[in-house]
């Protein structure tokens, strides 16, 4: 059966849903000016994702990988939450929720690392399963210090390199000692994100939420990265409903009961309003 595009019908479903989850991807932050990974002009297209977002890539060229994350930090710091973030944030407020379905729950599971959902006063817990751009992790196994660091630039060595990423000129090789260091032991720091091949955060909590969900919103994701891409299918498998919000066709469409094509900063406020 073809997915419904009927907002009224969807809003009726919302009023009878008890445990709602949203799985969000880079498309949620697109309207905030943060480039997506695979969409048109996605920055992964200019760079090989697997050479930048893996432990091996970082070990091989920490200077290049830090320039990439410095570029993303600067973009996130300059960005503001958009109407899609705000629609999710309002929908997450207990007062708003209880008006719709008393005792219902709503949890945001995001693949995004930009921190914009937290900055839009989204009700916790926000499950940032791929980590956070502004966490700095120590690479010294005996230390493992983690700190929140939103300084711009995070260190002098990276100052101004964000312009290089845009133009893809060859990047300067920044010496290890001039890259971000752990404030506790002085070892090399790494971005607090989950790279390919690393285990995402909050998996047990997410698995419990997915098992209980009767409605899964899939927002602005190409549904190509696992295990995030498997959640909608899981919800559908146990009888829950799936609603996809995307500007393009994505892997999630085939699982959808509802498909709202278009920018989520327009469709989400309409669907959740
Ligand atoms: C893991 C952080 C083991 C870094 C990222 C099967 C099972 C398990 C694992 C695998 C598996 N098959 C393959 C794997 C391995 C791998 C994987 O999935 N590879 C893929 C490429 C095949 N997965 C992993 O390695 C994961 N770890 O598996 O550990 C394990 C597993 C289970 C249990 C225990 C252990 C770790 C993956 C995490 C990688 N880190 N990010 C960083 O950000 O730099 S992934 C990266 O891609 C981002 O997080 C991003 O969010 C994510 C997915 O991309 P999207 O968000 O979907 O963005 P994209 O550009 O692709 O799409 C944007 C969409 O938005 C488009 O559809 C576009 O149309 C739409 N859009 C654009 N504008 C708008 C819009 N929609 C609406 N409105 C708009 N305005
Ligand atoms: Zn340390």
């Amino acid at each position: 059966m073809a997915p419904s595009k009927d907002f009224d019908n969807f809003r009726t479903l919302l009023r009878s849903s008890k445990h709602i989850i949203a799985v969000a991807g880079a498309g949620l932050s697109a309207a905030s000016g943060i480039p997506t990974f695979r969409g048109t002009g996605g920055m992964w297209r200019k760079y090989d994702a697997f050479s930048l977002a893996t432990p091996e890539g970082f070990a091989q060229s920490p200077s290049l990988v830090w320039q990439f994350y410095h570029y993303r930090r600067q973009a996130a710091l300059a960005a503001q939450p958009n109407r899609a973030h705000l629609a999710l944030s309002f929908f997450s407020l207990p007062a708003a929720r209880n008006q719709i379905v008393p005792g219902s729950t709503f949890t945001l599971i995001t693949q995004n690392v930009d921190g914009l959902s937290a900055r839009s006063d989204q009700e916790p817990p926000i499950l940032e399963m791929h980590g956070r751009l502004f966490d700095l992790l120590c690479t010294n196994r005996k230390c493992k210090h983690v700190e929140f660091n939103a300084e711009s630039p995070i260190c002098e060595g990276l100052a101004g390199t964000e312009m290089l990423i845009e133009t893809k000129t060859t990047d300067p090789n920044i010496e290890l000692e001039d890259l971000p260091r752990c404030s506790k032991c002085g070892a090399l720091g790494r971005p607090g994100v989950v790279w390919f091949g690393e285990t995402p955060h909050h998996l047990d909590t997410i698995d419990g939420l997915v098992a209980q969900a009767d409605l899964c919103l899939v927002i602005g994701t190409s549904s190509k990265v696992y295990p995030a891409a498997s959640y909608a299918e899981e919800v559908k498998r146990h009888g829950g409903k799936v609603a996809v919000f995307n500007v393009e066709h994505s892997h999630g469409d085939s699982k959808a009961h509802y498909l709202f094509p278009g920018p989520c900063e327009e469709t989400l406020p309409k669907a959740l309003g």
Side-chain angles (χ1 to χ4, degrees), residues 67 164 168-172:
Q67 288 175 59
L164 301 173
K168 188 91 174 87
T169 47
T170 44
D171 51 282

Side-chain angles (χ1 to χ4, degrees), residues 25-27 30 36-39 44 50 69 72 111-113 130 193-200 203 220-227 245-248 262-265:
T36 66
F37 299 91
R38 292 169 189 78
W44 285 130
F50 289 92
Y69 283 97
R72 308 242 326 265
Q111 300 173 87
N112 296 340
V113 296
H130 289 168
V193 298
V194 175
W195 280 325
F196 288 100
E198 295 184 325
T199 304
L203 287 184
T221 178
S222 57
S223 292
K224 284 183 187 159
V225 172
Y226 288 83
F245 298 78
N246 201 315
V247 282
E248 294 169 344
C264 60
E265 60 274 20

Side-chain angles (χ1 to χ4, degrees), residues 175-242:
E175 296 304 323
L176 276 185
E177 54 272 16
D178 297 330
L179 289 173
R181 313 298 299 191
C182 168
S183 60
K184 246 180 112 186
C185 76
L188 177 65
R190 61 162 278 185
V193 298
V194 175
W195 280 325
F196 288 100
E198 295 184 325
T199 304
H201 300 319
H202 312 300
L203 287 184
D204 292 344
T205 307
I206 293 172
D207 288 348
L209 287 163
V210 168
Q212 193 194 32
D214 48 13
L215 174 58
C216 177
L217 313 181
V218 183
I219 304 165
T221 178
S222 57
S223 292
K224 284 183 187 159
V225 172
Y226 288 83
S230 64
Y231 297 144
E233 199 135 26
E234 199 62 39
V235 171
K236 184 173 180 180
R237 209 189 332 268
H238 65 238
K241 297 285 188 244
V242 173

Side-chain angles (χ1 to χ4, degrees), residues 14 16-20 97 101-106 212 214-215:
L14 265 192
S16 61
S17 299
K18 285 291 279 182
H19 299 295
I20 307 167
R97 296 223 46 65
V101 181
S104 65
T105 65
F106 169 63
Q212 193 194 32
D214 48 13
L215 174 58

Side-chain angles (χ1 to χ4, degrees), residues 138 140 143-145 182 184-187:
C138 179
N140 170 2
C143 170
K144 289 192 176 176
H145 177 60
C182 168
K184 246 180 112 186
C185 76

Side-chain angles (χ1 to χ4, degrees), residues 48-246:
D48 169 9
F50 289 92
S51 68
L52 295 173
T54 59
E56 299 76 17
F58 182 68
Q60 195 186 341
S61 45
S63 166
L64 176 64
V65 172
W66 256 118
Q67 288 175 59
F68 182 61
Y69 283 97
H70 166 69
Y71 164 73
R72 308 242 326 265
R73 288 167 56 99
Q74 297 297 98
L77 287 171
Q80 293 300 326
N82 65 60
R83 290 176 60 227
H85 293 109
L86 298 175
L88 288 171
S89 167
F90 180 74
F91 186 68
S92 71
L93 297 177
R97 296 223 46 65
N98 288 328
Q99 270 174 6
I100 305 169
V101 181
S104 65
T105 65
F106 169 63
T107 311
L108 174 61
I109 299 162
T110 186
Q111 300 173 87
N112 296 340
V113 296
D114 56 37
L116 286 181
S117 290
R119 281 174 48 198
S120 69
D121 297 331
Q122 175 84 19
E123 195 70 13
I126 304 173
L127 299 176
E128 294 168 298
M129 65 182 295
H130 289 168
R132 304 194 310 187
L133 273 179
F134 298 106
D135 280 346
L136 179 67
L137 311 186
C138 179
T139 59
N140 170 2
R141 289 179 193 284
K142 292 196 186 68
C143 170
K144 289 192 176 176
H145 177 60
V146 183
E147 64 190 58
F148 184 78
N149 178 318
E151 283 167 46
S152 167
I154 186 169
C155 68
E156 266 324 296
L158 284 164
T161 58
E162 62 275 20
M163 308 318 290
L164 301 173
I165 288 275
E166 273 301 345
T167 55
K168 188 91 174 87
T169 47
T170 44
D171 51 282
N173 183 44
I174 303 170
E175 296 304 323
L176 276 185
E177 54 272 16
D178 297 330
L179 289 173
R181 313 298 299 191
C182 168
S183 60
K184 246 180 112 186
C185 76
L188 177 65
R190 61 162 278 185
V193 298
V194 175
W195 280 325
F196 288 100
E198 295 184 325
T199 304
H201 300 319
H202 312 300
L203 287 184
D204 292 344
T205 307
I206 293 172
D207 288 348
L209 287 163
V210 168
Q212 193 194 32
D214 48 13
L215 174 58
C216 177
L217 313 181
V218 183
I219 304 165
T221 178
S222 57
S223 292
K224 284 183 187 159
V225 172
Y226 288 83
S230 64
Y231 297 144
E233 199 135 26
E234 199 62 39
V235 171
K236 184 173 180 180
R237 209 189 332 268
H238 65 238
K241 297 285 188 244
V242 173
V244 169
F245 298 78
N246 201 315

